[in-house]
Amino acid sequence: MKRKLLACLFAPLLLLAACGEQGRELVVGTYKNEETVVFSETSVQDEADINRFIEIVEASAPIETQMEGLPDYVVTINNPEESTMELMVNIWIDEEGDMQFTRGLAGEGAFEMSPADAEEVRDLLQIEE
């Protein structure tokens, strides 16, 4: 009888714990060394902000440049409900503050954000110049 009572008490708690993470999250990280990325403990969970970041990435112009060195930032959009990473972007910021990036794990192709979009991304990701 006590086991059934405990099971009835813990079952809702387990269900609530399983439902704790909802929706997508955008997380920013930096390279600690060539093999280790350290991601921020905070994430962007606002769907409008996440969708705006995706729009900027998809609308950015391709450039004929090979990115060199480790990126300044790594941005991922994760979907915990589906246990997937929906997008990965590696961002380099040059001395003038221009943002170039590659998409995906393989980093195929290079792109550049417009100055207005780069400023919006800085605000969204809370990146200091």
Side-chain angles (χ1 to χ4, degrees):
M1 180 68 176
K2 287 184 181 182
R3 287 185 184 169
K4 286 184 181 180
L5 179 61
L6 286 174
C8 289
L9 291 174
F10 284 115
L13 292 175
L14 291 173
L15 288 174
L16 287 174
C19 297
E21 292 190 50
Q22 296 180 358
R24 299 184 299 173
E25 63 181 359
L26 183 149
V27 184
V28 179
T30 55
Y31 275 89
K32 181 177 180 179
N33 57 46
E34 287 187 18
E35 299 172 359
T36 308
V37 178
V38 178
F39 287 97
S40 172
E41 292 182 18
T42 60
S43 63
V44 175
Q45 295 182 346
D46 182 73
E47 277 296 314
D49 289 343
I50 292 170
N51 289 333
R52 181 63 186 136
F53 179 78
I54 293 169
E55 287 173 13
I56 290 170
V57 166
E58 290 177 350
S60 295
I63 55 175
E64 296 295 324
T65 302
Q66 285 283 36
M67 307 310 296
E68 295 182 16
L70 294 174
D72 296 302
Y73 298 96
V74 177
V75 179
T76 63
I77 297 177
N78 304 312
N79 188 331
E81 288 179 350
E82 297 180 13
S83 298
T84 59
M85 178 174 44
E86 294 181 4
L87 180 67
M88 179 174 180
V89 176
N90 292 301
I91 299 175
W92 287 261
I93 303 174
D94 64 19
E95 288 92 29
E96 291 82 33
D98 296 330
M99 284 189 174
Q100 294 90 28
F101 65 93
T102 60
R103 294 188 280 207
L105 291 172
E108 295 177 11
F111 303 85
E112 184 167 39
M113 294 180 197
S114 72
D117 286 345
E119 187 61 35
E120 190 174 348
V121 166
R122 273 189 197 82
D123 291 341
L124 177 74
L125 303 180
Q126 300 176 352
I127 294 174
E128 298 179 17
E129 285 188 53

